[in-house]
Amino acid sequence: MSAEINLSRSQLTELARHIQRNNGSDSEQSLSQKKYDFIRIALVEIIAAYEQEIDKSLQHKQKSLKKRVKTRRWQLATQTYLATLNDNLHRMDSGASLDFLISQQNQIMLLIDARPVIVSGPNAGSDTVIEKKIVTQFCLVNDCKAYFKASDQSDILKSDNAIQSARHVLEDVSGTWNMRSSLRAEYVTSNGLSFKFSNVRDRVAKQAWVYRILAELLLLQGQLRMIQEKGNLIHWQSMKLLKLPETDNASKIIINQQGDFVKVTIPELAKSPLLFMELVPWIQQQLVQKSAFSININQAEQFFHQSLH
């Protein structure tokens, strides 16, 4: 366990030092963006770790009065600290000055309007998780090839494989996390989809899920475009998704009132016909008008959890 902690911290510290040194490879604007990404990702992961620990403490009821009082005091102190962290998150969105320091002991301190936040969780175990997540999340939105030797890169990218495998057919589509508070997280894609989640947990898994949905939409769009080019009618208001028997991995998409259909393999969308129906207007805009069109998926958290079963 100690070796794992040391490895994680060395990677995080190495990443932070590379960002600080810069070596003239980044413009001032690019460096500022990297600092912003690093600090925001670190802050969000710290918030998520403390929230998770509070949830655990609420689920586990202490038997003795003394322990219950001690736990309650910790909960109140932690909630106060979380309020401070969330305030720092809001300050970032309001143009706060940003920087970070690295101590001789390799401890990282974030500075948001000169207000210090130590990169650390509620316990030693969570420190390891936080540090690995910061490195992974940062390297999802920034090229980290120059920061780590090949063996370290492979370790980092293992947790990213799900996203990359879903994203390889979507090279022209990008996305970004928008987190106004620890209570809400929104993943917005460059082609107009906004997935609104109720919390910041499992962001790597959620992002991978979004890209699987996008890959399936791309596949479906290709099928529908061929139907249109052949002169067949698509009645968007009549469109619906039907699941086929378990022995068939594909789904049937009814495309008009005459019952014409297209058969396509879209396992993620097949798990949630309601999500599919919410996305139909977006698919229509992509194929018919080809104009800028955005849509909010307000129940993304629910649809994501459906995909896990």
Side-chain angles (χ1 to χ4, degrees):
M1 181 64 73
S2 59
E4 183 180 357
I5 292 174
N6 289 336
L7 174 62
S8 175
R9 286 182 176 172
S10 68
Q11 284 185 343
L12 182 65
T13 305
E14 188 178 351
L15 173 60
R17 292 195 186 281
H18 272 292
I19 296 171
Q20 277 192 336
R21 282 198 298 264
N22 184 27
N23 293 330
S25 58
D26 291 316
S27 65
E28 185 175 343
Q29 182 178 0
S30 176
L31 180 60
S32 295
Q33 183 62 50
K34 286 185 177 180
K35 278 191 174 183
Y36 177 89
D37 291 342
F38 182 83
I39 293 169
R40 188 178 185 85
I41 288 167
L43 195 54
V44 167
E45 294 300 345
I46 295 168
I47 289 171
Y50 275 96
E51 284 186 333
Q52 188 172 17
E53 202 66 22
I54 282 186
D55 287 345
K56 287 181 181 178
S57 71
L58 291 172
Q59 293 169 8
H60 180 69
K61 293 185 177 181
Q62 300 290 349
K63 294 182 179 180
S64 70
L65 177 61
K66 185 178 180 179
K67 287 185 177 180
R68 287 199 299 270
V69 170
K70 183 179 179 181
T71 299
R72 184 56 183 158
R73 285 176 179 168
W74 177 86
Q75 289 170 346
L76 291 172
T78 302
Q79 286 167 349
T80 300
Y81 183 53
L82 275 170
T84 301
L85 294 176
N86 277 298
D87 181 57
N88 284 326
L89 203 57
H90 290 305
R91 284 172 177 267
M92 289 190 68
D93 292 328
S94 302
S97 63
L98 302 174
D99 206 349
F100 60 86
L101 303 174
I102 307 170
S103 72
Q104 291 182 343
Q105 293 75 34
N106 289 330
Q107 190 167 45
I108 299 171
M109 179 186 294
L110 311 177
L111 297 172
I112 299 131
D113 271 344
R115 298 168 67 178
V117 177
I118 301 294
V119 177
S120 143
N123 52 59
S126 63
D127 282 355
T128 304
V129 175
I130 288 171
E131 290 162 357
K132 286 185 175 180
K133 285 185 175 180
I134 293 170
V135 173
T136 300
Q137 290 294 328
F138 181 87
C139 293
L140 287 178
V141 294
N142 293 277
D143 186 0
C144 291
K145 290 178 182 177
Y147 296 164
F148 302 104
K149 57 189 179 186
S151 59
D152 288 342
Q153 285 182 42
S154 63
D155 290 338
I156 294 165
L157 291 174
K158 283 178 183 177
S159 60
D160 185 32
N161 282 343
I163 292 175
Q164 297 304 329
S165 62
R167 192 177 178 181
H168 75 282
V169 295
L170 297 161
E171 294 180 355
D172 295 332
V173 180
S174 59
T176 184
W177 282 101
N178 179 16
M179 287 159 283
R180 296 295 177 183
S181 74
S182 63
L183 299 178
R184 297 287 295 177
E186 177 184 23
Y187 194 76
V188 182
T189 69
S190 59
N191 57 355
L193 293 176
S194 175
F195 293 83
K196 297 180 181 294
F197 298 95
S198 62
N199 59 65
V200 299
R201 299 190 191 101
D202 302 318
R203 281 190 298 128
V204 170
K206 287 173 179 175
Q207 191 172 335
W209 173 73
V210 167
Y211 279 110
R212 290 196 298 273
I213 294 294
L214 287 170
E216 291 181 10
L217 288 173
L218 184 67
L219 176 63
L220 179 57
Q221 282 177 227
Q223 296 287 330
L224 295 175
R225 185 174 288 110
M226 286 191 292
I227 289 173
Q228 281 187 324
E229 290 172 351
K230 291 178 181 179
N232 293 317
L233 174 69
I234 296 179
H235 188 246
W236 298 98
Q237 287 70 30
S238 301
M239 186 174 284
K240 60 182 177 180
L241 182 152
L242 298 178
K243 294 179 68 174
L244 294 173
E246 295 291 335
T247 53
D248 197 327
N249 292 326
S251 297
K252 181 189 288 187
I253 309 295
I254 306 298
I255 62 170
N256 55 37
Q257 293 173 329
Q258 287 71 44
D260 294 334
F261 66 90
V262 58
K263 190 176 176 182
V264 61
T265 303
I266 45 173
E268 294 296 339
L269 289 170
K271 292 176 183 177
S272 182
L274 288 178
L275 171 59
F276 173 78
M277 294 308 297
E278 286 193 30
L279 289 167
V280 166
W282 181 85
I283 300 171
Q284 180 182 6
Q285 291 293 324
Q286 295 290 306
L287 290 176
V288 178
Q289 296 185 13
K290 297 182 180 179
S291 58
F293 183 79
S294 60
I295 190 168
N296 294 326
I297 307 301
N298 294 313
Q299 301 300 318
E301 187 77 29
Q302 176 184 334
F303 295 137
F304 167 71
H305 284 288
Q306 285 179 355
S307 75
L308 302 178
H309 301 294

